Amino acid sequence: MGTDALVFDFDGLLMDTETASLRVWQYLWREYGLELDVSTFFAQHGGNVIAERYAKLAAAVGPAFDQDEAHDTRLTYRREVHATLELAAGIARWLDEARELGIRLAVASSSPRDWVVDHLTRVGYLDRFELLACGDEAGTHKPDPGVYLLALERLGVPAERALAFEDTVHGVAAAKAAGLRCVAIPHPNADPAAFTAAERVLTSAADVPLRVLIGPE
């Protein structure tokens, strides 16, 4: 089956903001002499869980917890961490190959548009993507297929002619619900065995050239 467009998740797929987020929250908990429970950190959906994470920290710290102070600490450290983030391994090569092959590129992310734009602009790759479809535009979050349906609508491409790339199980579910084929590249804290709905599971975009992955037209 031919492929006219590639639709990428952002967080954890194009850039490993998932591991960066874990690192930032671990730092914040350690500022209070505590250890974050990694096993419950990653949400099973693409929505905003910041309030929940602060609530857990507040419960662990007790009455002395000052959320404004904690928030300032977290954002200061997050800026330091994000300043070092680049595209995930192998992604830049895939984007180059897609351009050579004339394949269109889009992003479908549960995150707000500003978040995606800021990161891709900083690393110099925003202009590689024809369009973005984000959670604040679709009004839904993965596993709801809204952002993928919005991306397909903006591309004007039928689902069977597009291939999605995801790093989470709920992301794969969203892509499949929208009718796309999906390649999974699980983020470092995800269980690869759980990605049974994906057509293929890779450890990294560096595993295989894009030409080989998408196959002949």
Side-chain angles (χ1 to χ4, degrees):
M1 182 179 294
T3 302
D4 295 328
L6 307 180
V7 186
F8 292 88
D9 173 51
F10 178 72
D11 291 292
L13 193 289
L14 286 178
M15 298 179 71
D16 193 6
T17 55
E18 300 282 13
T19 300
S21 178
L22 173 59
R23 179 180 165 191
V24 168
W25 282 94
Q26 284 177 315
Y27 173 86
L28 184 59
W29 276 65
R30 288 166 183 164
E31 287 290 287
Y32 294 93
L34 302 168
E35 279 297 323
L36 175 67
D37 181 2
V38 177
S39 68
T40 62
F41 180 75
F42 291 101
Q44 300 306 305
H45 59 82
N48 191 322
V49 293
I50 298 299
E52 296 172 29
R53 288 174 177 167
Y54 276 128
K56 286 183 179 180
L57 179 56
V61 174
F65 181 70
D66 183 330
Q67 183 165 317
D68 289 338
E69 180 181 317
H71 187 65
D72 288 343
T73 299
R74 183 177 73 87
L75 292 188
T76 297
Y77 187 61
R78 190 180 73 172
R79 282 191 290 270
E80 296 177 16
V81 172
H82 284 177
T84 68
L85 282 182
E86 299 292 340
L87 292 182
I91 292 293
R93 185 184 69 177
W94 276 5
L95 300 184
D96 288 343
E97 287 185 81
R99 182 162 58 184
E100 293 166 6
L101 294 169
I103 297 176
R104 300 165 69 189
L105 301 176
V107 173
S109 172
S110 288
S111 292
R113 185 180 185 88
D114 287 351
W115 172 264
V116 178
V117 168
D118 287 351
H119 279 291
L120 289 177
T121 298
R122 182 181 58 78
V123 296
Y125 278 88
L126 179 63
D127 63 354
R128 294 296 190 95
F129 297 92
E130 181 177 334
L131 60 91
L132 311 179
C134 299
D136 55 342
E137 299 173 309
T140 61
H141 303 289
K142 300 170 186 176
D144 186 280
V147 289
Y148 276 106
L149 295 173
L150 180 59
L152 291 173
E153 178 185 343
R154 290 176 172 175
L155 284 165
V157 170
E160 62 270 18
R161 299 289 299 183
L163 178 62
F165 295 90
E166 280 285 351
D167 72 303
T168 63
V169 171
H170 58 268
V172 173
K176 299 293 288 185
L180 286 80
R181 294 163 289 140
C182 188
V183 172
I185 308 177
H187 67 77
N189 292 282
D191 178 8
F195 289 76
T196 54
E199 273 71 19
R200 186 162 180 178
V201 180
L202 305 176
T203 58
S204 165
D207 286 355
V208 58
L210 182 65
R211 290 176 176 82
V212 174
L213 183 65
I214 64 176
E217 288 295 315

